[in-house]
Amino acid sequence: MDRMALMGASFFSLLLALNGSLTTPQILARKGYHPRLGVLLGAFAGLGGGLLAAVVLLAIFPDRGGLAVLGSLLGGIAALVALWRTFPTRTVQTGALPEGRALKLNIAARNIRGAIIRGLLLFAVVAALLSLATLIWTIFDRTIGLTAVQYEVAPEALLLNGAPSGVGLDDLSETELGQVLAENARVNRLRVFILQNVVQAPDSRWAAISTQPVSEVLRRHEYPAELAEMAFNQLDAAQAAGILAANLERDTLHDLVFTEIVRPQVVQSWPLWESLTRRDAIEARVTEKYPTAELQWHSWLSWDFITRQLDPRQADATGLRPAIYGSLMIIVLTIVFAFPIGVGAAIYLEEYAGDTRLNRIIQTNIANLAGVPSIIYGMLGLAIFVRALEALTSGRVFGLDTANGRTVLSAGFTLALLILPLIIINAQEAIRAVPGSLRQASYGLGATQWQTIWNHVLPYAMPGILTGTILAISRAIGETAPLILVGGATYLTRDPEGPFSIFTAIPLLIYRWTMLPQAEFRNAAAAAIVVLLILLLSLNSLAIILRNRFSRSLS
């Protein structure tokens, strides 16, 4: 039999059983029966009639699952109607209202119906809480657990004075760590380490800096005096390693050697629950499959994960910093554009616009736009902001042209369009809730219409407006489809530098990482989800604080 058809038939049969348990007690109570009997018979009739009809139809027409689903709906309805009509009547109501035993049965039927509905509401709350708890646990279960770590170069095998050191990194002095860098890293990488960790110059300036003298590159840092006039790109390995050792603390040198030369790599990971309950089996598997690997606890959510650049090769070495900057810049631009326009439109529609046919059409369209799928707004943003207004969104009109219109500005405009109807509708409801007596009192004291709106209506409506803004921000910050269409990158090694920069965002990375074949990237995606939730809660908390401040000032 068709399993999907049986699942659909079962769903409709359960709905009919619920309907029967709610309606049958009242009907049977009027006929003189106790309503508890009606609950049992109504549920049995709806469930049994629907499933029986579906099974019979699937047996006759095994290839027509849709017919079986429709038959379950009709069969359950027919069973309930037959129960209501054919059940014998024991008492006849003579007056317009029930009396005596009939009144008691009627009241009992209403109480039973209320108890069933109350139980359904409680079940809905429990199911929602369980679903939320399951979601949160699933996310956190992926953010920490055991990992099998292999090293590209074992710490004991690092060259020191031309031979393996034979000791761990913790046993090496600061000078020895500098020698390890000189003997185990290529000179070009050492120069990059200086630019990254000592000079802290942006990637875009490396080419220009490399040809300058060491004295210019390391103007505020330590370097041997004899190297002052030497071009930076002429430094050899020993000289570059010496500069690193002179300017970096031992812990920084240790981390640099560990991440750039030892290069630990997670070859397999396990979630938290499995790590706690199947530790022996995991150790046996690591010993068998990865004999040179170490089993370590690893938290995918860490400060390094938040502050590092993206790395598409290793999940344990990737970071989220460009995506965090991109998400913050996009959402700030979204609020800056959408909030004043949305509130201004709501003020006009509620306070200035009359009840004309044109305004009713505008109001209907705003309500319809609030339900348009987000990918449609992405297509609109691609057509208007990325292509039609490319000169503006790429920065060409300001002398810039770096991203071909696929910039933070385009993303901010697109998400602003997405949440604009929501802000307008919620702001209208908040303004509409302001008592008319407040306006009349202001007019009676000689205030103009705008003075009344600015000094009385808006402060009174602001808590409701900010509540709507919270909901709009919550939708915008998690959107992925519009950002993909306007050109959001899923791999970006540099931070966005302004509204005319190319960008990535946290939802884009979560989408990308969950699609990669390596299981470890799904752990990184879980950590990114936690960061996104923290970011969302922080922005919502700020809006709630502002809302409460307005509420206190009114009271």
Side-chain angles (χ1 to χ4, degrees):
M1 292 187 178
D2 190 343
R3 292 184 179 181
M4 293 298 296
L6 282 177
M7 291 178 60
S10 300
F11 174 75
F12 282 113
S13 299
L14 288 173
L15 289 181
L16 291 169
L18 176 61
N19 179 69
S21 65
L22 289 173
T23 56
T24 307
Q26 194 78 29
I27 296 173
L28 293 191
R30 293 173 186 167
K31 294 188 175 186
Y33 297 92
H34 199 281
R36 292 179 183 173
L37 179 63
V39 174
L40 296 176
L41 292 178
F44 178 77
L47 182 62
L51 289 179
L52 180 62
V55 171
V56 171
L57 288 173
L58 280 177
I60 299 174
F61 307 103
D63 297 332
R64 298 189 178 182
L67 181 62
V69 174
L70 179 61
S72 68
L73 180 62
L74 297 178
I77 294 174
L80 288 175
V81 172
L83 173 66
W84 299 337
R85 288 182 175 275
T86 60
F87 214 82
T89 302
R90 296 173 60 182
T91 59
V92 179
Q93 183 176 318
T94 56
L97 296 175
E99 299 177 353
R101 185 172 182 275
L103 177 61
K104 293 180 180 180
L105 293 176
N106 186 278
I107 294 174
R110 293 186 179 187
N111 290 336
I112 288 175
R113 182 170 182 170
I116 294 175
I117 294 177
R118 186 168 60 251
L120 289 173
L121 295 177
L122 179 61
F123 171 78
V125 172
V126 172
L129 291 177
L130 288 176
S131 300
L132 180 60
T134 302
L135 174 63
I136 294 175
W137 167 251
T138 302
I139 293 172
F140 278 97
D141 187 43
R142 284 282 185 178
T143 59
I144 188 171
L146 288 172
T147 55
V149 180
Q150 282 185 335
Y151 301 118
E152 186 172 310
V153 180
E156 298 79 8
L158 291 172
L159 296 178
L160 181 63
N161 297 322
S165 64
V167 296
L169 294 181
D170 294 335
D171 298 324
L172 297 177
S173 66
E174 187 171 343
T175 303
E176 290 173 334
L177 286 173
Q179 293 177 357
V180 167
L181 279 172
E183 295 185 41
N184 293 269
R186 296 191 304 271
V187 63
N188 290 336
R189 291 297 299 163
L190 292 173
R191 295 171 191 155
V192 169
F193 296 160
I194 295 174
L195 294 176
Q196 286 179 330
N197 299 278
V198 179
V199 182
Q200 297 182 353
D203 301 2
S204 57
R205 295 187 56 208
W206 287 0
I209 291 176
S210 296
T211 58
Q212 296 178 1
V214 171
S215 58
E216 289 293 327
V217 177
L218 299 172
R219 185 179 306 170
R220 291 181 294 272
H221 303 282
E222 296 182 16
Y223 58 90
E226 61 271 15
L227 302 179
E229 300 303 322
M230 180 183 292
F232 181 80
N233 57 9
Q234 298 299 318
L235 291 174
D236 60 26
Q239 293 166 341
I243 292 174
L244 285 170
N247 290 276
L248 299 179
E249 297 180 354
R250 185 190 181 284
D251 291 341
T252 306
L253 283 173
H254 178 283
D255 294 341
L256 189 61
V257 173
F258 186 75
T259 57
E260 298 294 340
I261 300 177
V262 175
R263 295 184 65 87
Q265 182 177 2
V266 174
V267 292
Q268 190 169 352
S269 62
W270 293 266
L272 177 61
W273 180 252
E274 190 175 356
S275 300
L276 294 174
T277 57
R278 300 184 64 250
R279 177 67 181 263
D280 294 339
I282 292 173
E283 290 178 349
R285 177 176 175 81
V286 171
T287 302
E288 176 186 354
K289 191 173 181 179
Y290 309 106
T292 61
E294 293 183 7
L295 194 62
Q296 301 175 357
W297 283 97
H298 182 77
S299 175
W300 298 91
L301 179 60
S302 63
W303 182 250
D304 288 338
F305 175 75
I306 295 174
T307 57
R308 276 196 305 248
Q309 297 283 5
L310 294 175
D311 188 340
R313 301 163 299 174
Q314 293 180 267
D316 58 312
T318 192
L320 204 62
R321 192 177 73 193
I324 293 176
Y325 286 164
S327 292
L328 286 174
M329 293 175 68
I330 290 170
I331 205 66
V332 167
L333 286 175
T334 300
I335 297 171
V336 166
F337 291 124
F339 184 77
I341 295 175
V343 175
I347 292 173
Y348 174 79
L349 291 172
E350 287 298 319
E351 299 293 332
Y352 291 100
D355 188 16
T356 63
R357 183 175 182 180
L358 176 61
N359 290 331
R360 287 196 296 270
I361 292 174
I362 293 174
Q363 189 68 57
T364 302
N365 286 330
I366 291 174
N368 290 334
L369 288 173
V372 171
S374 60
I375 195 169
I376 306 300
Y377 284 100
M379 297 172 64
L380 182 64
L382 175 64
I384 296 178
F385 303 125
V386 175
R387 294 179 179 171
L389 299 178
E390 179 186 347
L392 172 64
T393 56
S394 66
R396 190 184 308 155
V397 296
F398 304 103
L400 304 172
D401 191 6
T402 57
N404 196 25
R406 302 179 182 273
T407 58
V408 173
L409 193 62
S410 296
F413 280 152
T414 302
L415 293 186
L417 287 181
L418 175 67
I419 68 173
L420 190 59
L422 297 176
I423 294 179
I424 293 175
I425 291 172
N426 285 285
Q428 281 186 269
E429 294 295 332
I431 294 172
R432 198 176 297 140
V434 176
S437 58
L438 192 65
R439 298 177 176 86
Q440 298 303 323
S442 178
Y443 294 147
L445 292 174
T448 64
Q449 185 175 11
W450 174 245
Q451 288 174 328
T452 300
I453 293 171
W454 182 256
N455 295 300
H456 301 286
V457 175
L458 267 182
Y460 196 95
M462 191 56 68
I465 294 174
L466 290 176
T467 300
T469 304
I470 292 172
L471 298 175
I473 293 173
S474 301
R475 180 182 179 185
I477 199 171
E479 287 292 345
T480 305
L483 300 182
I484 292 176
L485 285 177
V486 298
T490 55
Y491 171 58
L492 189 65
T493 57
R494 59 187 178 90
D495 302 330
E497 299 173 355
F500 304 111
S501 300
I502 58 176
F503 70 95
T504 188
I506 299 177
L508 290 174
L509 290 186
I510 294 171
Y511 166 75
R512 173 63 178 167
W513 287 344
T514 54
M515 300 297 291
L516 293 175
Q518 299 94 329
E520 288 71 30
F521 275 104
R522 288 189 281 277
N523 297 334
I529 291 172
V530 176
V531 175
L532 181 62
L533 290 176
I534 293 173
L535 183 62
L536 173 62
L537 292 176
S538 301
L539 292 174
N540 286 355
S541 299
L542 178 61
I544 290 171
I545 291 171
L546 293 175
R547 183 186 65 185
N548 293 339
R549 178 168 295 182
F550 276 108
S551 299
R552 285 197 300 269
S553 63
L554 289 174
S555 61

